[in-house]
């Protein structure tokens, strides 16, 4: 496949955007990415989105966005893989450019979740789980994660407070990110006192939903002028892989191990010719704090059952061994589900360009992002490099 | 892009499958395609589906199908482009194989519409239209098409009965197709007497919804043994294009012309090195009889405003100049929306293999399929050839 570069990024803030329609949010991100890349147009747009049909009563997002952005007649579809829809759209964009079918493509992620025409957002999110064997029992998505977290604490002897550093780090890193939903730093005491949602998951273990859109403009590297003509680092996609696992957690051999994360990460490392020790920062999928621990373990940053240790030892901080959620993560940047995977990649690009502001990781050259759909049923890993 | 061959097809009947879940329908089509291709596995599955989130309360179809078919860990996403979701999934599958990312892929189309957990199917289908500017006025999808048909009849002076041949042909061709939803031939009198739905569209102008799944297994031609080792014709994809248009009909310069069909078809002809005169059969998107006329015109088979003439002259019959809907079309095979685009391609493959039974088009070597999403807002054209 042709080598691919990300030459433009665009983001809206994650917020309650009651004054903006789905198409307006999309346009904001698309125009920002075009402008960032100094381009006027692209050949295609692939849109990561999970819930527009249920919450916004709108499907056909491809035509909607192509039409609204004045790019009509281009190829444009929606791609859905639950909360990993964003990275799935990037996968499709990569294959479109990699195959030579299209020469420049935008991967857009969008979700509008806080104004829902009467639909039940919690029930909608549960559609990422198994509609025949999980949700009929009344399990919400947070409840499924609570079962996983409880079992993990039991197996490895961690207390709830041991997970606090994940949330504290995410909140601290979001304070200076203008696109983040939450700008309040939190303390361990805040974490402990937070309202219970589904035992043992409390409000500060859980990422907030939100409205937002983010876009990436990709092209084949061989069609770029040297250094993209901008004097800024050229960012290439060195690894890109997707894996699936059982849809229902109860079908897994080990429900507290993310097999698809392991499989996806190991193949991405091989593609990029790197290992966990080479990764300068990792935008992981901290929808719930337990997921941070499981991701770090499956990707080889911690031994099995030892993920929380990286938080307790400060390894995940911007100056640590493996900085995570450097601009707030899902926990504090916010989790507009189908858009999240694109926000993660845009943040890695910010870091590799040296444009991450107060939480810049010094000398970052290789960054990783991992987007998780369902209870780990679809996991997509990208590794970006400064070329 | 690598040349791509379709080496396996699988279909369930289109019906009210109340005894089969979404995953069971998907499995039936996937296993049939694997068996038809004499393969055990594939590297990826891309799933065309529009309404599972709304009607079946299930997203994350990629993981669902990969899991159920025992192909877990493979790459698998859902692709949505309203009623053109099926062909959109084939586009993504083509790019996955064409890029070299994956070597064998199934494009699956699936929809389960007749058992809907309380959701309103008519409202769900209207999500293919503009949720801000069309549906708030109370327009259903059939109502939008009725406005188009009424205007077309006014502009070009056709009567309602002039459209009868489209429905009569489709119903006649479905009688011997075991996968078709309706097996009753109809007469012009039946057509005229049929119950009105949205004037001028009556029940026999409109395609029936249904439950169904269809699958195509594609591989790069250069990885096949000569003639696929089966002694049957090798079918390659000679043209594959997607175009978008405005989402809302009122935004179009000419609301009774399918600009995206023209753009998509002209590029597909150029890719395949053929013209309309070379096409042996055309599986077009007859969701409503007016769409048959508009498709034939946009793709160069009839002059502007003269589509119904091809029906009246018998050109669209299996032995005619440009046979359409040779196994029933949307009108009589049925229209399980996200699956339809894959059924169309599977039917073209049946024709090119000489396996279409009583409605076989003699000597068919080049076939075309066109899948339409929304009111012509996404249009995808494929041209297949016997190599």
């Amino acid at each position: 496949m042709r080598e691919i570069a990300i030459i433009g990024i665009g983001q809206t803030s994650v917020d309650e955007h009651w004054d903006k329609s789905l198409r307006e949010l999309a346009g904001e991100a698309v125009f920002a990415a075009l402008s960032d890349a100094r381009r006027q147009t692209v050949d295609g747009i692939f849109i990561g989105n999970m819930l527009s049909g249920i919450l916004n009563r709108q499907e056909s997002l491809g035509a909607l966005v192509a039409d609204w952005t004045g790019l009509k007649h281009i190829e444009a579809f929606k791609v859905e893989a639950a909360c990993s829809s964003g990275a799935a759209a990037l996968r499709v964009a990569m294959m479109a450019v990699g195959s030579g079918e299209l020469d420049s493509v935008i991967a857009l992620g969008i979700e509008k979740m806080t104004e829902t025409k009467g639909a039940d957002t919690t029930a909608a999110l549960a559609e990422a789980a198994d509609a025949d064997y999980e949700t009929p029992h009344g399990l919400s998505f947070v409840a499924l994660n609570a079962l996983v977290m409880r079992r993990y604490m039991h197996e490895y002897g961690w207390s709830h407070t041991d997970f606090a550093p994940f949330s504290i780090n995410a909140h601290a890193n979001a304070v200076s990110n203008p696109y983040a939903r939450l700008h309040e730093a939190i303390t361990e005491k805040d974490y402990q006192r937070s309202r219970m949602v589904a035992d043992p998951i409390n409000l500060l273990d859980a990422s907030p939903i939100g409205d937002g859109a983010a876009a990436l403009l990709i092209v084949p590297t061989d069609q770029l002028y040297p250094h993209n003509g901008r004097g800024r680092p050229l960012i290439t996609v060195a690894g890109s892989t997707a894996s699936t696992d059982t849809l229902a957690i109860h079908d897994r051999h080990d429900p507290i191990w993310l097999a698809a994360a392991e499989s996806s990460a190991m193949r991405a490392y091989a593609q990029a010719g790197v290992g966990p020790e080479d990764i300068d920062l990792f935008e992981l999928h901290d929808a719930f704090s337990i997921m941070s621990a499981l991701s770090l373990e499956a990707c080889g940053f911690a031994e099995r059952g030892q993920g929380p240790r990286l938080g307790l030892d400060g390894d995940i901080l911007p100056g640590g061994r493996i900085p995570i959620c450097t601009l707030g993560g899902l926990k504090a940047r916010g989790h507009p589900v189908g858009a999240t995977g694109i926000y993660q990649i845009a943040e890695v690009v910010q870091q590799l360009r040296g444009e991450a502001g107060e939480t810049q990781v010094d000398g970052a050259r290789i960054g990783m992002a991992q987007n998780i759909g369902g209870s780990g049923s679809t996991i997509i890993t990208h590794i970006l490099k400064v070329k």
Side-chain angles (χ1 to χ4, degrees), chain A:
Chain A
M1 194 166 85
R2 301 197 283 184
E3 186 186 56
I4 285 161
I6 301 176
I7 64 165
I9 61 174
Q11 304 168 65
T12 73
S13 62
V14 179
D15 211 329
E16 296 188 7
H17 287 295
W18 293 16
D19 57 332
K20 286 175 188 158
S21 66
L22 205 56
R23 74 188 79 203
E24 288 170 318
L25 283 170
E28 207 172 305
V30 166
F31 293 133
L34 284 167
S35 165
D36 185 50
R38 293 193 183 168
R39 298 249 172 167
Q40 303 291 325
T41 185
V42 286
D43 299 335
I45 299 188
F46 298 103
I47 301 165
N49 171 272
M50 178 182 174
L51 298 172
S52 74
I54 305 161
L55 301 185
N56 316 118
R57 310 298 294 168
Q58 178 74 71
E59 289 292 357
S60 215
L61 293 195
L64 175 85
V65 176
D67 182 12
W68 179 252
T69 55
L71 300 168
K72 70 183 179 204
H73 304 316
I74 67 167
E75 180 155 15
F77 311 136
K78 163 172 160 172
V79 183
E80 186 276 330
C83 299
S84 62
S85 300
L90 178 57
R91 282 291 298 153
V92 172
M94 296 271 300
M95 297 188 291
V97 173
S99 66
E101 273 295 276
L102 306 175
D103 277 331
S104 62
V105 170
I106 282 180
L108 172 72
I110 182 161
E111 207 76 65
K112 188 164 162 60
M113 308 176 71
T114 69
E115 183 198 29
T116 60
K117 305 196 175 181
D120 174 340
T121 309
T122 300
L125 286 167
E127 299 200 6
D130 193 314
D132 292 331
Y133 298 104
E134 289 182 321
T135 42
H137 299 287
L139 280 167
S140 68
F141 211 68
V142 58
L144 277 166
N145 280 273
L147 291 172
V148 170
M149 187 169 180
R150 174 61 70 201
R151 184 76 203 171
Y152 181 90
M153 290 164 64
H154 171 80
E155 287 289 334
Y156 298 110
W158 297 106
S159 73
H160 180 255
T161 302
D162 293 330
F163 293 85
F166 292 124
S167 300
I168 294 168
N169 172 63
H171 273 266
N173 293 345
V175 170
S176 60
N177 176 6
Y179 303 116
R181 170 111 200 235
L182 305 174
H183 293 106
E184 303 93 37
I186 61 164
T187 65
E188 186 177 280
K189 191 157 284 181
D190 294 330
Y191 177 81
Q192 288 167 327
R193 286 180 179 168
S194 180
R195 187 153 51 91
M196 189 56 70
V197 179
D199 187 16
I201 292 180
N202 73 21
L203 201 62
L204 287 177
D205 286 305
S207 56
I209 64 166
D211 309 328
L216 309 169
L217 198 162
I218 67 169
V219 296
T221 310
D222 58 23
Q223 292 192 4
L224 285 175
Y225 298 111
H227 302 294
N228 192 26
R230 298 287 299 274
R232 66 184 184 194
L234 177 61
I235 313 299
T236 61
V237 183
S240 173
T241 66
S243 281
T244 45
D245 199 348
T246 67
L247 185 62
I249 292 181
H250 60 248
D251 281 332
R252 300 206 188 133
H253 185 67
D254 182 352
I256 53 173
W257 180 253
L258 294 175
E262 181 183 28
S263 136
S264 173
M266 295 308 139
R267 287 190 294 124
Y269 290 143
Q271 286 178 0
V274 302
E277 65 282 2
D278 301 308
I279 303 296
D280 295 318
L281 71 138
F282 181 22
E283 292 303 329
L284 55 69
H285 193 93
D286 58 325
F288 302 98
S289 51
I290 177 64
M291 296 306 283
S292 298
L294 296 183
S295 255
L296 286 165
E297 294 168 26
C299 298
F301 296 104
E303 294 295 311
R304 194 177 283 243
Q306 299 307 309
R309 174 61 48 208
L310 273 63
L312 295 167
D313 290 350
D315 289 339
I316 61 169
L317 300 174
R321 183 163 66 85
I322 179 65
I324 67 171
C325 306
T326 64
L327 286 151
L330 281 62
K331 178 68 201 77
R333 176 241 297 121
H335 184 26
V337 291
T340 289
I342 303 291
Y343 276 100
Q344 292 178 309
I345 307 270
E347 289 159 359
V348 174
V349 171
Q350 286 180 268
Q351 287 285 0
L352 299 186
R353 282 180 180 173
E355 296 174 355
E358 291 188 27
T359 55
Q360 177 66 45
V361 174
D362 286 341
R365 305 276 301 174
I366 304 178
M368 184 157 106
Q370 186 166 73
N371 195 194
I372 301 185
S375 314
S377 58
T378 306
I379 304 193
I380 304 173
T381 308
H382 282 92
I383 296 175
L384 311 187
K385 276 186 182 176
V386 177
K387 193 178 170 78

